[in-house]
Amino acid sequence: MEGGGGGGGGGTLSEIYQSAKKLLIRTRDGLERVERGEFSSSSDSVQHDISQIQSLCVQMDRLWRSISAKSQRDLWKRKVEQIAEEAESLKAGLDKYNLRNQKRMTEARERAELLRRGANGDSSHVLRIFDEEAQAMQSVRTSAHELETANAVGEAILSTIHGQRERLKSAHRKALDVLNTVGISNSVLRIIERRNRVDQWIKYAGMLLTVIFVLAFVLWRR
């Protein structure tokens, strides 16, 4: 059985798949309009479309399993899973929007309640709440400033340590250079001293040979 294989409650597998694709496009567009705050779409209609897509996925899941050809069955399995995943993604996006919207509505009710209390003469309570919020905000700003100061001090300390480390490395290199120079100088001096001793021995040997040669010549002439 191929992709157009038999179906129930709405047509063939291909027809149901095309309907689900169209619903996905409409739902994605509706969710974007809801998040932008447009009144042409509502979260209830988006939720209804998502439920329809999920219902179609149930039908398609039943139909692709009845396909005899394994290659076709695997192909439709991936297609149906993709539709289901996109529907879940849209549902997650709608849930996030509903949570944000619920939070905004709660904050709006709290502000309205504060204003109502102020209008009814319970201004001291309202002022106390605002004062507590202002103190909390000031505490947050103070903590942030202290963190920035501590961070700046830490960076300055690290910079100083780094500078000292570089100076110590430079001094160490210079000391090694001096030691190497001294070592080379000592070696050169020792070579010179050995050369001088050799020259002296050569000089004395030459003088001795000269004396021997003269004495031998004189004795030979006699």
Side-chain angles (χ1 to χ4, degrees):
M1 180 184 296
E2 296 187 356
T12 66
L13 179 55
S14 295
E15 291 171 347
I16 297 174
Y17 177 77
Q18 292 301 324
S19 298
K21 291 286 287 185
K22 291 178 182 178
L23 267 176
L24 274 176
I25 295 173
R26 188 175 76 184
T27 306
R28 192 178 298 112
D29 182 66
L31 181 59
E32 290 176 356
R33 290 200 303 270
V34 166
E35 290 177 339
R36 289 196 300 266
E38 298 180 8
F39 295 103
S40 58
S41 182
S42 66
S43 60
D44 290 339
S45 64
V46 173
Q47 180 62 58
H48 179 265
D49 288 343
I50 292 175
S51 298
Q52 272 193 301
I53 296 170
Q54 292 175 330
S55 176
L56 293 176
C57 285
V58 172
Q59 296 181 43
M60 290 189 292
D61 187 68
R62 185 179 67 252
L63 290 173
W64 72 257
R65 295 177 185 276
S66 64
I67 299 175
S68 58
K70 185 178 185 303
S71 59
Q72 288 291 319
R73 189 167 63 249
D74 292 341
L75 175 63
W76 278 106
K77 179 177 181 292
R78 289 193 297 271
K79 286 185 176 182
V80 174
E81 287 176 347
Q82 183 179 6
I83 294 291
E85 288 172 1
E86 292 184 24
E88 284 297 324
S89 176
L90 290 172
K91 184 177 183 301
L94 181 63
D95 290 341
K96 289 181 180 179
Y97 166 79
N98 287 333
L99 286 174
R100 293 195 302 269
N101 191 50
Q102 183 178 1
K103 183 179 179 181
R104 287 194 295 266
M105 292 176 63
T106 301
E107 291 173 350
R109 284 196 300 269
E110 290 176 351
R111 287 194 295 270
E113 179 65 19
L114 289 174
L115 292 174
R116 186 187 63 78
R117 291 182 179 181
N120 291 337
D122 195 7
S123 58
S124 60
H125 177 72
V126 176
L127 290 175
R128 186 175 68 254
I129 293 175
F130 279 112
D131 183 60
E132 291 175 354
E133 291 182 354
Q135 289 179 359
M137 291 293 292
Q138 181 62 36
S139 177
V140 170
R141 285 193 293 269
T142 302
S143 299
H145 178 70
E146 290 176 353
L147 286 174
E148 290 177 358
T149 302
N151 184 57
V153 171
E155 290 180 354
I157 292 172
L158 289 176
S159 178
T160 301
I161 293 173
H162 180 71
Q164 291 177 350
R165 182 186 177 192
E166 290 299 322
R167 287 193 292 271
L168 287 173
K169 287 171 66 177
S170 177
H172 184 254
R173 284 194 297 268
K174 290 179 180 179
L176 288 176
D177 292 339
V178 171
L179 290 175
N180 291 331
T181 302
V182 171
I184 293 172
S185 299
N186 290 335
S187 300
V188 172
L189 288 174
R190 284 194 295 271
I191 292 171
I192 293 172
E193 289 176 357
R194 286 197 298 269
R195 183 62 180 272
N196 288 334
R197 285 196 296 270
V198 171
D199 290 343
Q200 288 178 356
W201 282 109
I202 293 173
K203 181 179 66 174
Y204 294 146
M207 292 172 63
L208 180 60
L209 289 173
T210 301
V211 172
I212 293 172
F213 178 76
V214 171
L215 289 174
F217 181 76
V218 170
L219 290 174
W220 179 73
R221 289 294 300 268
R222 288 183 180 182

